[in-house]
Amino acid sequence: MEKREHLDLYFQMVTIRRLEERAAELYQEGKIGGFLHLYIGQEAVSTGVISARQPEDRIITAYRDHGVAINCGIPARVVMAELMGKATGCSKGKGGSMHMADVTKNYFGGHAIVGSHLPLASGLALGDLYQHNPRVTVCMFGDGATNIGFFHEAVNLSKVWNLPILWLCENNQYGMGTAVERASAVPEIPQKAEGYGIPNSRVDGMNIMEVREAALEIIKKIREGGGPYFLEAVTYRYRGHSMGDPERYRKPEEIHHWQENDPIGIYRRYLVDRQLASEEELNQKDIDAQTEIDEAVQFAESSPEPAPESLYQDVFVEP
Amino acid sequence: MARITMREAISQALWEEMERDPKVFIQGEEVGVWGGSYAVTRGFYDHFGGERVRDTPISESAIIGSAIGAALTGLRPVAELMTINFAFVAMDHIVNQAAKLHYMFGGQMVLPIVIRAVSGGGRQLAATHSQTPDVIFAHFPGLKVVAPGTPYDAKGLLKSAIRSDDPVLYIEHATLYQMRGEVPDGEYLEPLGKSKIQRPGKDVTIVTYSKGLDLSMKAATELAKDGIEAEIVDLRSLQPLDMEPVYESFKKTNRAVIVEEGWRTFGIGAEISARIYEEAFDYIDAPIVRIGQKQVPLPYNRNLEQMALPQVEDVIKGVKEIV
């Protein structure tokens, strides 16, 4: 990897962190409505795996989707505008936090019903298989989604039809406030993939280079016709499930323990220790990310509200 | 013109569209090797192959969900639900995904998917397999709901549905597959979202669709013997709902009977009559009559089942109450 690429990935991670922190503030100020699920702590998973895809590969995820949107190339200002429900948002203000997408960047959202996007992911992969496109679909979901029926139907189908799909489970330890071992009959989540005869492995989701290297190898195998693969990225969200989470289910010490292995800190040390980037260069990226978010907020705040007539637009393609 | 069955008409539409456009494919339970549980896709597997006629596991969420995903890649899937009763286990994908993605993502997602589903009672399959829940699906904005009542419409509407860029639920009635009707030899399309006068008349307007059309046509024949000429408006599409022909007819007859096979409570009759009250109040000369299924789960026993389902005699009686 070239230095430029490393600096870009680092910049993406810091941009996500700053975006999420700012979003939390804006939510408290009442400028963002609805639900807001922050990705803070999990940045290495999305940044790592999406850096390993080809631009034509398809990405689909759940509702914790702002970071994925940034990694897929949606500008921070467009993400911020969507959070504020503005006409300039990626979903024209109709989707909000949980429904961000840009199909021109092969990013298919942003889905808020737990696990419901997994069958859609099977379909994206089926579309490519049917059309003989050498594309791979990466489907991201949380540990909680492996307990709903959609997961089992979609994963089973992917094996039956040998679909080109990477099932990427982001195990952040909790489905809302319920710990994995309290919700899943097999706390070792890859066992569920094993049950469907799907090759699987686990990776440290706090370490971007490990995620990226695993994803590069897996995506290559899938593209060569290897069929579906299941990867568990072990990670942690520092913030609550959404804003307004009472967090009765975990102790502050647990959060502090994970924060000692902060994905941005790990990557920073990695880059400095190997002399891939200097402290100064990384500090500059920190400043650039802050500037990017400041500008994003400005853009979003000055953007127009959706026009009243847009209320009736896009119900159907052909009304 | 050939006189063919509803089953043949649907089958022809599918066959022609698959021949015309390689992006069209079929998936569902037993659509391939078996030939379709209602024999609609018999011969398709041998002709088009397993890639385009895809047998699926018994996984309705995956059938509809993956059809949506495939549609997002530019394909035109026709996903079959063996019966509409199985739609309930795929409800999220039908009403929360198919009906919403285009709007919710600001118009960027286009999903030209057709969901074929077999609806209707009268075959002694008891409560879980005999429902006519068509109206539920018309409640959700973003999903087109089509339900033909003649072989002619079945073919023309299905071809339009497959070519439409919107998600379409295409409802076939289980007891109409053997119905015969005239179908042109060459290609033709019927527009989605357009009601149609299936029988002209002057004394009463019967608004109906699907199986209700069959009942209403038979009732109209009987009523004509008593000198009552019923005009029958076939909705053909529940969403979008084309009310203009209904209003036009009603302004002429000033009387309406609405016939549906589904439960009357909160049914299509409720919607249509409310709209007539809203839009044509000054033309009302008699209470609007609603004919529908009795408010019970459909029983297995043949006599009880037929008691619960609307009959031709119910339509005749309903008309005579107000004419």
Side-chain angles (χ1 to χ4, degrees), chain A:
Chain A
M1 254 180 100
E2 286 182 23
K3 176 179 185 172
R4 182 181 49 80
E5 294 172 85
H6 277 300
L7 286 173
D8 179 48
L9 292 188
Y10 177 81
F11 174 72
Q12 286 181 37
M13 288 175 73
V14 179
T15 300
I16 294 170
R17 180 71 58 95
R18 294 290 97 81
L19 178 119
E20 298 289 60
E21 290 166 350
R22 195 77 182 89
E25 292 168 15
L26 291 163
Y27 190 85
Q28 304 293 2
E29 292 169 28
K31 290 180 177 169
I32 294 174
F35 292 149
L36 184 72
H37 307 87
L38 300 178
Y39 200 56
I40 296 175
Q42 301 180 217
E43 296 95 336
V45 181
S46 169
T47 311
V49 76
I50 293 172
S51 80
R53 74 150 174 173
Q54 296 297 315
E56 66 271 21
D57 292 337
R58 304 177 195 274
I59 308 291
I60 187 166
T61 189
Y63 47 82
R64 204 175 296 284
D65 62 345
H66 318 151
V68 183
I70 295 288
N71 296 136
C72 286
I74 301 182
R77 63 179 183 283
V78 177
V79 172
M80 197 58 94
E82 188 59 38
L83 286 171
M84 291 199 204
K86 298 300 183 75
T88 51
C90 51
S91 301
K92 297 183 183 169
K94 285 176 174 170
S97 162
M98 302 189 286
H99 309 107
M100 300 202 177
D102 185 342
V103 299
T104 68
K105 294 178 166 59
N106 284 309
Y107 174 40
F108 290 85
H111 296 267
I113 303 290
V114 172
S116 190
H117 66 293
L118 275 73
L120 270 60
S122 291
L124 292 171
L126 168 63
D128 289 326
L129 186 77
Y130 184 95
Q131 295 172 91
H132 306 291
N133 296 328
R135 297 184 180 199
V136 173
T137 292
V138 178
C139 178
M140 304 169 70
F141 50 92
D143 45 277
T146 68
N147 298 321
I148 195 163
F150 300 138
F151 168 89
H152 297 273
E153 291 195 18
V155 167
N156 179 63
L157 191 73
S158 76
K159 180 65 179 177
V160 171
W161 285 353
N162 201 41
L163 299 174
I165 187 162
L166 168 54
W167 299 113
L168 178 66
C169 177
E170 294 189 81
N171 179 357
N172 67 10
Q173 317 301 323
Y174 295 94
M176 280 193 78
T178 306
V180 171
E181 59 274 16
R182 292 177 62 214
S184 180
V186 282
E188 304 287 318
I189 294 175
Q191 283 186 19
K192 292 180 176 172
E194 194 69 32
Y196 292 104
I198 292 176
N200 57 81
S201 55
R202 171 180 285 164
V203 69
D204 177 2
M206 306 305 267
N207 188 320
I208 181 171
M209 284 299 109
E210 286 190 23
V211 173
R212 180 182 150 85
E213 273 153 36
L216 277 169
E217 194 183 319
I218 294 164
I219 288 173
K220 182 169 176 286
K221 274 189 203 153
I222 296 171
R223 203 185 309 284
E224 287 165 355
Y229 192 99
F230 186 99
L231 179 66
E232 179 193 24
V234 180
T235 183
Y236 197 77
R237 64 168 157 73
Y238 296 170
R239 299 295 184 95
H241 164 73
S242 61
M243 302 298 287
D245 176 348
E247 302 215 38
R248 290 196 193 95
Y249 52 88
R250 61 183 184 182
K251 294 190 169 70
E253 301 87 76
E254 181 182 303
I255 303 172
H256 296 152
H257 168 74
W258 282 88
Q259 281 174 329
E260 284 164 20
N261 293 306
D262 184 86
I264 295 175
I266 289 173
Y267 193 28
R268 207 179 155 101
R269 276 199 302 282
Y270 172 92
L271 294 174
V272 173
D273 289 352
R274 284 170 182 69
Q275 298 183 325
L276 293 163
S278 68
E279 291 280 0
E280 293 71 34
E281 286 168 319
L282 296 170
N283 290 343
Q284 185 57 50
K285 286 294 166 194
D286 291 344
I287 293 167
D288 293 349
Q290 188 59 58
T291 308
E292 176 104 355
I293 297 308
D294 291 343
E295 284 173 7
V297 174
Q298 218 169 21
F299 172 83
E301 290 199 300
S302 60
S303 284
E305 290 281 316
E309 59 268 28
S310 75
L311 178 64
Y312 293 105
Q313 284 165 3
D314 296 326
V315 177
F316 290 116
V317 178
E318 305 149 359

Side-chain angles (χ1 to χ4, degrees), chain B residues 55-96:
Chain B
D55 282 321
T56 65
I58 303 168
S59 305
E60 278 80 9
S61 289
I63 293 169
I64 306 302
S66 68
I68 293 167
L72 292 174
T73 74
L75 298 178
R76 295 189 171 276
V78 179
E80 179 176 322
L81 291 171
M82 194 180 284
T83 97
I84 202 164
N85 302 283
F86 304 166
F88 303 135
V89 292
M91 207 59 173
D92 186 74
H93 288 93
I94 298 169
V95 307
N96 239 351

Side-chain angles (χ1 to χ4, degrees), chain B:
Chain B
M1 284 281 197
R3 208 170 156 75
I4 64 172
T5 64
M6 192 81 127
R7 176 184 283 109
E8 288 164 335
I10 296 165
S11 184
Q12 280 181 12
L14 286 169
W15 187 281
E16 288 174 16
E17 291 306 298
M18 286 186 72
E19 288 284 13
R20 192 185 65 82
D21 184 355
K23 288 185 184 308
V24 178
F25 71 97
I26 296 172
Q27 67 178 22
E29 292 153 10
E30 310 299 351
V31 295
V33 177
W34 187 293
S37 44
Y38 288 85
V40 170
T41 52
R42 185 175 292 162
F44 280 54
Y45 185 86
D46 291 338
H47 182 76
F48 294 106
E51 290 297 307
R52 297 189 66 197
V53 188
R54 307 184 71 92
D55 282 321
T56 65
I58 303 168
S59 305
E60 278 80 9
S61 289
I63 293 169
I64 306 302
S66 68
I68 293 167
L72 292 174
T73 74
L75 298 178
R76 295 189 171 276
V78 179
E80 179 176 322
L81 291 171
M82 194 180 284
T83 97
I84 202 164
N85 302 283
F86 304 166
F88 303 135
V89 292
M91 207 59 173
D92 186 74
H93 288 93
I94 298 169
V95 307
N96 239 351
Q97 313 298 332
K100 301 217 171 41
L101 297 185
H102 184 65
Y103 186 86
M104 191 168 63
F105 289 100
Q108 60 180 311
M109 293 199 188
V110 177
L111 40 152
I113 166 183
V114 175
I115 301 167
R116 284 183 50 231
V118 184
S119 183
R123 300 173 65 245
Q124 286 194 269
L125 297 173
T128 61
H129 276 60
S130 301
Q131 297 169 97
T132 315
D134 312 353
V135 68
I136 293 174
F137 301 92
H139 189 61
F140 297 93
L143 182 69
K144 291 187 173 172
V145 179
V146 173
T150 66
Y152 177 91
D153 288 338
K155 184 173 178 183
L157 288 169
L158 182 52
K159 286 169 73 84
S160 293
I162 291 170
R163 296 185 199 187
S164 168
D165 280 338
D166 289 308
V168 180
L169 175 65
Y170 180 90
I171 300 173
E172 301 161 21
H173 197 284
T175 67
L176 290 181
Y177 280 120
Q178 299 293 357
M179 167 193 262
R180 285 185 180 274
E182 298 284 335
V183 169
D185 297 326
E187 175 168 293
Y188 67 99
L189 298 170
E190 281 293 292
L192 303 180
K194 292 286 171 206
S195 302
K196 182 176 174 182
I197 307 291
Q198 297 281 17
R199 183 189 194 278
K202 58 178 176 43
D203 300 319
V204 61
T205 300
I206 299 178
V207 184
T208 189
Y209 77 102
S210 185
K211 175 72 173 183
L213 176 64
D214 183 43
L215 301 179
S216 302
M217 292 295 272
K218 286 172 179 157
T221 304
E222 293 304 310
L223 288 163
K225 293 174 187 165
D226 295 332
I228 300 169
E229 293 300 334
E231 179 150 286
I232 299 179
V233 184
D234 180 3
L235 297 171
R236 302 196 297 176
S237 160
L238 303 180
Q239 167 114 271
L241 184 61
D242 175 23
M243 286 297 293
E244 281 314 312
V246 176
Y247 298 142
E248 245 174 74
S249 175
F250 186 78
K251 285 175 183 178
K252 189 170 63 180
T253 64
N254 312 112
R255 288 167 171 78
V257 174
I258 301 144
V259 182
E260 65 192 303
E261 188 186 271
W263 292 295
R264 213 173 72 129
T265 307
F266 299 104
I268 289 157
E271 179 66 30
I272 301 292
S273 59
R275 291 201 191 201
I276 291 172
Y277 282 115
E278 287 164 354
E279 299 294 327
F281 184 73
D282 291 344
Y283 296 87
I284 299 172
D285 279 358
I288 296 169
V289 173
R290 294 181 291 147
I291 309 285
Q293 196 172 134
K294 308 294 187 299
Q295 197 69 10
V296 296
L298 219 54
Y300 162 72
N301 175 275
R302 178 148 188 87
N303 292 333
L304 292 176
E305 182 185 40
Q306 289 304 319
M307 277 170 67
L309 289 168
Q311 307 290 336
V312 175
E313 295 69 38
D314 297 323
V315 181
I316 294 169
K317 191 163 158 270
V319 168
K320 287 189 171 172
E321 276 172 24
I322 55 169
V323 173

